[in-house]
Amino acid sequence: GGKVAVADLCLRVERGECFGFLGTNGAGKSTTFAMLTGATAPTSGDALLHGLSSRHEQPQIRRQLGYCPQHDALLALLTARETLRLYARIKRVPPAAIEATVESLLLDLDLARFSDKPAGQLSGGNKRKLCITRDHPRLGIALVGAPSLVLLDEPSSGMDAASKRFLWAAIKRRTLECCTVLTSHSMEECEALCGRIGVMVGGKLRCIGPIQALKSRFG
Ligand SMILES: Nc1ncnc2c1ncn2[C@@H]1O[C@H](COP(=O)(O)OP(=O)(O)O)[C@@H](O)[C@H]1O
Ligand SMILES: [Mg+2]
């Protein structure tokens, strides 16, 4: 008799694809991500990442997974640069490559000016950028040839227009190297980034397909 947050969700996202996950607040998008990342256990069902089970092989999956949660989960006292170093280590970037990787990531999302500022003192939009950057698939490059799944939960919320464009360009640049799933409330964002979208209503996936096809069918 309890609330069912996500029911009978079934879909496949290919490598090189950016998939847009849409739905009103409470539709079940973040819960889906929570299940994929192992933060919440599903009552039933499973998801596979290149054959790895999200229920039984979480440790292997986590090394290949980039996750930007809806609510910024940053360590307030670490600077932007320290945050990226920490994640580079967790993702097993070879020690000799850490500094170069971190610097290029800071440039990638226009965070270089804030690299020595504690994360807790960054503006909302820059916190978002840091969350997105630290799980950049390039941090997983130590695993040669490894697949990467990138989950971005409302990545651009709170960002100004210029930062959004910058973020979109960064997401586009790396789309081909991995598999990206993002949630958004902005059609403009989905049109800029996503090949296909799916719309969730009350925990169920109600329609899925290329944006143009859904638009011409449902208006
Ligand atoms: N920890 C929780 N305990 C109980 N209900 C929850 C919990 N997390 C989410 N929910 C409920 O599950 C539904 C889906 O939430 P969520 O996945 O956050 O939606 P979305 O990200 O699409 O806005 C909502 O009705 C929400 O209230
Ligand atoms: Mg959410």
Side-chain angles (χ1 to χ4, degrees):
K3 159 105 193 157
V4 178
V6 178
D8 303 325
L9 180 64
C10 179
L11 66 106
R12 175 202 290 263
V13 182
E14 304 284 340
R15 184 173 199 155
E17 182 179 5
C18 182
F19 182 80
F21 213 25
L22 275 69
T24 51
N25 293 133
K29 307 177 298 291
S30 298
T31 307
T32 302
F33 283 1
M35 291 188 291
L36 290 173
T37 54
T40 299
T43 339
S44 63
D46 200 357
L48 299 179
L49 171 63
H50 271 237
L52 293 173
S53 154
S54 73
R55 289 194 96 164
H56 307 293
E57 289 158 297
Q58 255 318 311
Q60 292 95 307
I61 287 192
R62 276 189 204 171
R63 277 185 217 120
Q64 307 176 21
L65 187 78
Y67 176 39
C68 170
Q70 182 172 357
H71 305 286
D72 299 318
L74 292 167
L75 297 166
L77 295 179
L78 287 190
T79 67
R81 182 177 279 119
E82 288 163 348
T83 303
L84 295 181
R85 274 186 198 139
L86 173 68
Y87 273 75
R89 288 195 183 150
I90 291 172
K91 304 266 169 164
R92 298 186 180 182
V93 173
I98 288 181
E99 287 309 306
T101 308
V102 166
E103 292 312 313
S104 87
L105 288 173
L106 286 167
L107 286 176
D108 209 34
L109 267 177
D110 201 19
L111 279 172
R113 276 171 296 153
F114 311 106
S115 50
D116 294 316
K117 211 170 171 185
Q121 288 172 27
L122 294 173
S123 69
N126 283 325
K127 277 185 188 150
R128 264 347 255 152
K129 286 194 205 167
L130 187 56
C131 274
I132 291 158
T133 307
R134 67 175 190 192
D135 268 330
H136 191 290
R138 256 155 58 200
L139 286 182
I141 212 155
L143 300 138
V144 179
S148 285
L149 172 63
V150 178
L151 305 174
L152 303 171
D153 204 348
E154 305 194 19
S156 64
S157 64
M159 278 190 193
D160 62 55
S163 300
K164 262 186 205 173
R165 302 270 160 199
F166 215 91
L167 170 71
W168 294 354
I171 294 177
K172 266 190 188 154
R173 269 200 300 280
R174 70 196 204 195
T175 294
L176 282 179
E177 4 169 332
C178 59
C179 165
T180 310
V181 180
L182 67 89
T183 74
S184 176
H185 291 293
S186 148
M187 267 326 263
E188 194 196 0
E189 180 161 279
C190 286
E191 287 187 333
L193 297 173
C194 304
R196 284 191 312 149
I197 57 171
V199 181
M200 270 189 111
V201 182
K204 293 202 157 138
L205 189 66
R206 295 297 294 272
C207 59
I208 181 169
I211 294 189
Q212 206 44 54
L214 294 185
K215 269 190 162 176
S216 40
R217 184 151 174 222
F218 300 107

